Amino acid sequence: MDLELKYLKLKEHFKNAKVIESCAELIGWDERTNMPPQGADLRALQNSALSKLHHDLVTESWLGDALNELASESVNLPADSDICVNVREWIRVFTRANKIPVTLVQEFSKTFVYSQQAWQDARSQNNFVLFQPWLEKIIDLKRHEAKCLANGQVSYDALLDDYEPGATSLELDSIFYPLKDSIIKVLHSCSKENKRNLILGNYPEQKQKIFSEIIAGYCGFDFNAGRLDTTAHPFCCGIGPGDCRITTRFNPADFSSGLFGVLHEAGHGLYEQGLDPDHFGLPTGTAVSLGIHESQSRLLENQVGRSLEFWRFIYPLAIKFFPDQLSNIPLETFHKSINQVRPGFIRVDADEVTYNLHIIFRYELEKDLLSQNLSVKDLPDAWKAKMKTYLDLVPDNDATGCLQDIHWSAGLFGYFPTYLLGNLYAAQFIEKAKKVIGWNSNCLNLDVLSELRQWLKKNIHLKGKRLLPGKLCENVTGEKLDKKYFEQYLMQKFNS
Amino acid sequence: MDLELKYLKLKEHFKNAKVIESCAELIGWDERTNMPPQGADLRALQNSALSKLHHDLVTESWLGDALNELASESVNLPADSDICVNVREWIRVFTRANKIPVTLVQEFSKTFVYSQQAWQDARSQNNFVLFQPWLEKIIDLKRHEAKCLANGQVSYDALLDDYEPGATSLELDSIFYPLKDSIIKVLHSCSKENKRNLILGNYPEQKQKIFSEIIAGYCGFDFNAGRLDTTAHPFCCGIGPGDCRITTRFNPADFSSGLFGVLHEAGHGLYEQGLDPDHFGLPTGTAVSLGIHESQSRLLENQVGRSLEFWRFIYPLAIKFFPDQLSNIPLETFHKSINQVRPGFIRVDADEVTYNLHIIFRYELEKDLLSQNLSVKDLPDAWKAKMKTYLDLVPDNDATGCLQDIHWSAGLFGYFPTYLLGNLYAAQFIEKAKKVIGWNSNCLNLDVLSELRQWLKKNIHLKGKRLLPGKLCENVTGEKLDKKYFEQYLMQKFNS
C-alpha cells in the first residue's frame, strides 16, 4: 500500500533522528554525573555536533512535501491513529525546526555547557556576577529563538509551547493567580508547630541509597531498565527503552529528603518506562508534555509518597533500616514531620503548599526577563522582592536565592510553569484513580501500587502523544483540567 | 592562501567526524560502566547510527578530489608538516572507509553490542556454546571486512593494519617466534619459589581506590581531565581533550592487582592526555598506533610500576594505607612478590615473562580462525592445546580459557599482537629514557616521574601520527624496533 510505504519511510527517518537525540540525552546525563571538570570544551563540541545533526535531519527539504502528502492522504483516518498522530507531530517538529537557523541551534548547545559550568561556579562561590554575562547571553538567544518561532505570538508563549503544547501565558495567568490566593489561605491555616526536626539524625548515605532503591522498586521502577545515581541536582533522563536513569542527592541528616527525590524522579521514570517500546522514536511513543510528565513525578512523590497509607506500608522497613533514628517515633508523628508546611528558600525542598508559590514567582520573573521588563543585573533584587511578597522570606545570599535552580542556565525558559501544571494534573488524576482502583485509606501496599501503575500506564503512558495534554486529561478524568482538585487536596490534607 | 583554505575546509570536516567518533567513544564507555541490562537494544541502535554517520562523513564523494588536490599541492612541504601528515592520514581513512560498505559498518556496530552481552553471559555461566554463534557471525563479518580491504594482501594483515599501520604477519612471525624461545629460556631460569602469597590479605576496595588514585596522580594522570571507575574489564577510553577515562577491577585479597591495572590504564591515559589538544580531531593529534599505545601502558605498569626503585618511593605510603597487611613485609620481599614469575591461566594477571606467551598463542589462534584453519566450535580444545604447549597448563573450563578476553567478542582481530609489540617498544624506549633523564637505580620519585613523563610527551605523545610507528621508534631511540632490548630487560630482571 502506497500510503503505508510513504509512512514507513518517514517513520524510519524520524526514528533515526530520535536515536541521535537519545545519544545527546545520554551524553547530557554523563555531563551531569561523570564528566571531569576539563571535559567541558569537548562536550560543547559534541553537543553542538549532535544537535546540528538532529536539526539537519528534521529539516531536510524533502520532508515538507512528504509530510503534506501523507497528511492529505490520511485525512480520513481516525485522529488518534498512529499515522495521524505521528504525521501531525512530525509536521509540528519540522515546522518549528525550520523556523530556527541551525547556527542558533549550535550556538545554544555550545553555550549551555559553559553557562551551566558558570552557574555551578557562581552558586558554589555565591557570586551572581560570574553567572550574569552567561544569563544575558542565554536570554538573548532565547529571545532570538522566540522571535523565530512566534507568529505574532507572545514571545513567552512561543517558548512555553515547546514544553506544554498549546498552553499560553494568558491561560496560565488565569489559573495561577486565583490559585495563589487559595494556596496562601491554606498556608495561613497550617499548623505552625515545627515537627520537621523530629526525624533528623545521622543516616548513612549507602543505607539511604539501598532503602530508596527498594522503595522505588516497590513503586515499579525497573532497575534492569534503569539506574539510580547521586548528583548535585536530581533529574530523570529517559534515554530510551530499557535505559532510564534517575538521580538524587542524599541529606545525611534527613533520609526523607533523598527518598522523596528518588520517588519524584521514579515517577518520571515510570512514565518513561511505561511508554510503548514498539513506538520508540515516534510521537506515539513519546511523553505528551512536561506538565503531564511532572504530574507523574508529583503524584508518586506526594499523593503516594507523602501519604499516611503509604507509610503504613513502608514504615516498618524504614525502622529496620534506621532503628536508632526512627524506632521511637510513632508513625503518625513521622507522617506529620514529612508533611510540615513551612516557607523556605529552596524550591526542591519545599512542602506541597509553598512549592507552588516558588513556581509562580519564577514564572513571573522569567516572563519579565524575556520581555526585558527586568534586566539580568537586577535579577537578584527582584528575586528577593518576589520571595518577600510570596513567602515572606528574604534569602541572604544568591546561592539560596536566584542561583538555586539549574533551569535558566540551561536555557529552559517556559519550563517552570509545567511544575505547577503537574501538581494540578496529579491531583485530578489521583482523584479519578482512587475511584477505579483498590486504593483505600488503610494501606497502600504492593498490590495497590501495582494497580495504580497499571492504570497510569494504560491511561497515560502508553498513549504517547496521541492526544494533546488537555484532551488527555479530559479522556482520563472525564473533565477538563480543573484546579479545584488540587485546591481540595491541599485543603483536605493541610487545613488543620 | 588557496592551499590553506582548502586545508581548513578538510580540517573542519574531519574534525567533525572525530567529534562524532568521540560521542561513540563516550557511549562505549557508558556501555561498559553504567548501562542497565535492558539497554542493549537501544545501544545497538545508537552505535549503528553513529558509526553510519561517521562512515558517511569520511566517505563523502567530494573528499576524494579535494584530498588528491591537496596532496599534489603540498608535495613540496616537509613530510612531517601538519598538512602532509594530515592529508596522508585522511587519504588512508578515506580509502579504507570507501572499501567497506556502510551496511557492513552498521552490521558490525549492532552485532558487537549483542555479542559482548553473549560473551559476558557465556563467561559467567562458563558455557562456550552461548557465545559460539556470535563468534561465528563476527568472524564472518571480519572476513568480509578483510576481503573488502585486502588488495591481494593476507586477510589477517588487512585487519592488523587497522591497529598497527604497516605491520604484517610475516614481520610479526619473524619477531615473535625467536622471541618465544628466549622467553621460554628466561621462564625456565626463574626461581620457582612462590612469594606471591606473601602479600595476600584483606584490602578494603575503597582504600585501594584512593591509594591507586594517589599513585596514578603521582605518575601524572590528571584527574581534572579524567576519572577512574571500577569495571569487570579494565580499559582506557580517551574521549578527547580534558576527558580521559580509565577503569580497573580490585581484588580484595591483593591490592597490587588493582593498582597495576590502574597504572597500566594510566599509562594509556598519559598518552591520551599528552596529545596536542590544539590538534584534537586531526591525525597530528591522534595516537600513532596501538603498539605504541601499549608501550606507554606497559612502561608505566612494568618498567616503572614493578621496579624496586618505584617501590622505594611509594612503599612507605602503601604501608600507611595497609599497615596490618604490609608493615611486616620488607620492601625487597614485597618487590619479589609482585614480580613472581609463574604460568597462569589469565593473561591480564600474568607476570612480565609469561604474558608474552599468552599473546603469541592468541595471535596464532586468531590467524587460524580467520583463515578457517580452525572452526569456532573447535576453539576451546585448540585453546587448551596451545596453552599446554606454551605454558604447560590446561584450563579446566572455558571461562578461564578461551572466554577470558573481551577482544574477539568485540571484533578486535589483529589487536592482540600489539600487546607484545608494546612490550618491545616499552623496553627500547625506557632504555633510551634512562640515558637522558635523571632515573637512577636508587629512587624513582616525583621529580623523576615528572621528567620521564615530559620526555614521553615530547618524544611520543605530542608527535601524534607525524611518523609511522617504526619510524617514530627510530626517531626516539636512534634504532629500528629491536627485540633485544626486551630480551635483555627480561634476562636482567628475571634471570636468577
Side-chain angles (χ1 to χ4, degrees), chain B residues 196 342-347 350-351 354 358 387 391 393 404:
Chain B
R196 201 160 181 181
R342 212 186 180 194
F345 296 127
I346 305 298
R347 174 184 62 89
D351 57 81
T354 58
H358 284 268
M387 202 164 219
L391 290 159
L393 282 176
Q404 69 180 269

Side-chain angles (χ1 to χ4, degrees), chain B residues 14 42 57 64 67 222 241 260 271 274 301 305 311 327 344 373 407 434 436 446-447 467 474:
Chain B
F14 278 98
L42 174 63
L57 282 172
L67 286 166
D222 181 356
F260 288 124
Y271 196 169
E301 177 191 359
W311 283 95
S327 40
N373 283 337
H407 303 65
K434 283 183 175 178
V436 295
L446 281 180
D447 292 338
L467 302 168
E474 266 187 80

Side-chain angles (χ1 to χ4, degrees), chain A residues 256-272:
Chain A
S256 74
S257 156
L259 176 65
F260 288 125
V262 172
L263 286 179
H264 181 99
E265 304 308 337
H268 284 301
L270 290 185
Y271 196 169
E272 292 294 318

Side-chain angles (χ1 to χ4, degrees), chain B residues 5 13 18 24 49 114 120 124 162 171 187 268 337 369-370 386 405 411 415 432 474:
Chain B
L5 273 178
H13 184 78
K18 185 71 179 191
Y114 296 111
Q120 274 178 21
S124 69
D162 209 20
E171 184 193 356
L187 177 58
H268 285 301
S337 146
L369 284 166
L370 277 174
K386 287 280 182 197
D405 286 308
Y415 189 115
K432 178 72 179 181
E474 266 187 80

